């Protein structure tokens, strides 16, 4: 089966696929709000949302109203925004670096963002001036600059960039572990280590107001550069010959990738494999053209993360599994398949 099957059937097939993805995302968010230790019917969920959004007066218990609006809906929306941001970041990095294995986790951006966030939380760096998101963003930028310097010094090929990213990821993970071990008390250490595995337990509406605009802004900026991203498939020299401002595009998209990754890490911790697996799945469905690939990637990432959140809450009775564990359980086999496909093309 070829990856261009949707394109071969025309734009109507792409529109139908997009509509189906939007409906599936809505269904997944509805299920995420309804499923939990206290099961809430979908009708009750709809009434609770209607009461808050449209001022209706459905008779509901305060417990159900609070669970739906104050806890589960905000959690589902943050999960969707985080999945879209990570997936878009992976697609952008794979295009700019021309490497199918590029993603924020592999390139050390997530690890750097985690270190920056932990420095603010535990060491108090920039406390009162820098928030958690700002610390994560600075850490992500530092990690990417370090990987870029290492890659430039070793030749700058796609394979070397990935290797430098892995080295940088290990370095920042070690720094994070050192800070937590030496500077945090037992309660802080347990909470942060759980958070670093990926946790949506603490997110609320202020996190939605941050994550959703960043994901939407990232999507708009990426869509504005689809022509440049397509040109990068042939290399930077070919892109420059087509009139693409290569350096400017790289700076803008790398900065947007760092911002999206940092926002996700600052809220839910470091989550791997989303930015690696989803772009490849979307590419299989709609082909490599970024005008179709980026919307499919964003929707796919949102659906994947909301589904992973649901699984994390029901897979073990009366216990919430870190969402990063769930994404890794499904992402690691997919990563192996991608490695095999890349090997086959080499």
């Amino acid at each position: 089966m070829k990856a261009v099957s949707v394109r071969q059937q025309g734009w109507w097939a792409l529109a139908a696929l997009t509509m189906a993805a939007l409906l599936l995302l809505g269904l997944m968010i509805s299920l995420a709000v309804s499923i939990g230790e206290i099961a809430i019917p979908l009708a009750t969920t709809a009434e609770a949302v209607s009461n808050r959004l449209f001022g209706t007066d459905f008779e509901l218990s305060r417990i159900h109203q609070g669970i739906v609006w104050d806890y589960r809906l905000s959690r589902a929306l943050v999960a969707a925004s985080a999945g879209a941001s990570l997936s878009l970041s992976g697609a952008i990095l794979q295009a700019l670096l021309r490497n199918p294995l590029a993603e924020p986790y592999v390139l050390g951006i997530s690890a750097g963002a985690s270190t920056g966030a932990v420095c603010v939380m535990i060491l108090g760096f920039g406390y009162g001036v820098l928030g958690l998101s700002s610390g994560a963003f600075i850490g992500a930028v530092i990690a990417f600059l370090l990987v870029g310097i290492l890659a430039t010094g070793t030749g700058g090929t796609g394979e070397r960039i990935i290797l430098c990213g892995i080295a940088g990821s290990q370095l920042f993970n070690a720094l994070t572990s050192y800070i937590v071990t030496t500077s945090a008390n037992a309660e802080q250490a347990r909470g942060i280590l759980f958070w670093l595995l990926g946790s949506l337990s603490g997110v609320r509406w202020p996190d939605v107001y941050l994550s959703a605009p960043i994901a939407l802004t990232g999507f708009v900026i990426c869509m504005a550069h689809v022509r440049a991203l397509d040109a990068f498939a042939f290399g930077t020299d070919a892109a420059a010959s087509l009139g693409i401002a290569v350096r400017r595009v790289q700076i803008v998209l790398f900065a947007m990738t760092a911002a999206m990754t940092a926002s996700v890490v600052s809220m839910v911790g470091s989550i791997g494999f989303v930015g690696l697996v989803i772009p490849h799945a979307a590419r299989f469905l709609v082909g490599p053209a970024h005008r179709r690939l980026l919307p499919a990637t964003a929707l796919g990432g949102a659906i994947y993360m909301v589904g992973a959140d649901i699984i994390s809450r029901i897979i073990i009775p009366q216990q919430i599994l870190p969402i990063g564990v769930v994404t890794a359980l499904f992402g690691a086999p997919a990563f192996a398949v991608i490695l095999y496909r890349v090997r086959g093309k080499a």
Side-chain angles (χ1 to χ4, degrees):
M1 182 177 180
K2 294 183 178 181
V4 295
S5 57
V6 172
R7 291 184 300 161
Q8 290 174 338
Q9 297 178 39
W11 283 100
W12 66 269
L14 184 63
L17 181 64
T18 302
M19 184 59 66
L22 288 171
L23 291 174
L24 179 58
L25 177 59
L27 175 61
M28 295 297 290
I29 291 176
S30 299
L31 291 175
V33 177
S34 300
I35 295 174
E37 291 185 9
I38 300 177
I40 300 177
L42 288 175
T44 303
T45 298
E47 291 172 353
V49 174
S50 178
N51 284 347
R52 293 301 299 264
L53 289 181
F54 307 113
T56 54
D57 194 24
F58 292 108
E59 292 187 6
L60 300 175
S61 71
R62 295 182 64 181
I63 293 177
H64 284 178
Q65 183 74 50
I67 290 174
V68 169
W69 185 262
D70 296 324
Y71 176 62
R72 292 185 184 171
L73 182 58
S74 59
R75 178 182 180 124
L77 293 177
V78 169
S81 300
S85 293
L86 291 175
S87 300
L88 282 172
S89 297
I92 296 304
L93 290 174
Q94 288 166 15
L96 293 179
L97 300 177
R98 299 178 65 198
N99 192 308
L101 302 181
E103 67 129 353
Y105 190 83
V106 174
L107 291 180
I109 298 177
S110 293
S114 297
T115 302
V118 167
C119 284
V120 173
M121 283 191 293
I122 296 181
L123 301 182
F125 286 173
Y127 184 76
V129 178
L130 295 178
L132 200 62
S133 298
S134 299
F137 178 75
I138 292 173
V141 172
I142 291 174
F144 189 79
L145 289 176
L146 177 61
V147 171
I149 292 171
L150 289 174
T152 301
T154 57
T157 63
E159 291 78 8
R160 292 184 183 274
I161 291 175
I162 295 296
L163 291 175
C164 292
I166 293 173
S169 180
Q170 293 299 315
L171 171 63
F172 283 99
N173 284 334
L175 286 174
T176 300
S177 298
Y178 177 79
I179 293 170
V180 172
T181 302
T182 59
S183 302
N185 57 43
E187 184 178 350
Q188 285 180 319
R190 184 174 63 178
I192 289 173
L193 290 177
F194 187 86
W195 172 77
L196 288 174
L197 290 173
S199 174
L200 289 160
S201 298
V203 299
R204 295 295 183 267
W205 282 103
D207 300 297
V208 178
Y209 303 146
L210 175 64
S211 62
I214 288 179
L216 180 60
T217 301
F219 176 74
V220 171
I221 290 177
C222 293
M223 288 298 295
H225 292 86
V226 290
R227 177 173 173 269
L229 290 170
D230 288 338
F232 273 106
F234 303 99
T236 55
D237 291 338
S241 68
L242 294 173
I244 304 297
V246 172
R247 188 60 58 190
R248 181 188 65 80
V249 170
Q250 288 177 328
I251 292 174
V252 169
L253 293 181
F254 280 138
M256 197 66 246
T257 297
M260 289 191 290
T261 303
S263 70
V264 172
V265 172
S266 67
M267 284 179 280
V268 302
S270 183
I271 299 175
F273 293 104
V274 179
L276 176 64
V277 174
I278 300 302
H280 285 283
R283 197 173 288 112
F284 178 80
L285 289 173
V286 302
H290 286 84
R291 189 174 299 278
R292 291 181 287 268
L293 176 64
L294 295 182
T297 297
L299 285 171
I303 293 169
Y304 182 72
M305 279 287 286
V306 176
D309 179 44
I310 294 174
I311 293 173
S312 73
R313 288 187 280 131
I314 65 174
I315 192 171
I316 301 177
Q318 299 182 342
Q319 185 175 344
I320 298 177
L321 196 67
I323 192 170
V325 174
V326 177
T327 59
L329 286 174
F330 289 93
F335 182 75
V337 172
I338 293 170
L339 284 175
Y340 183 80
R341 287 169 60 88
V342 171
R343 176 181 175 273
K345 293 178 181 179

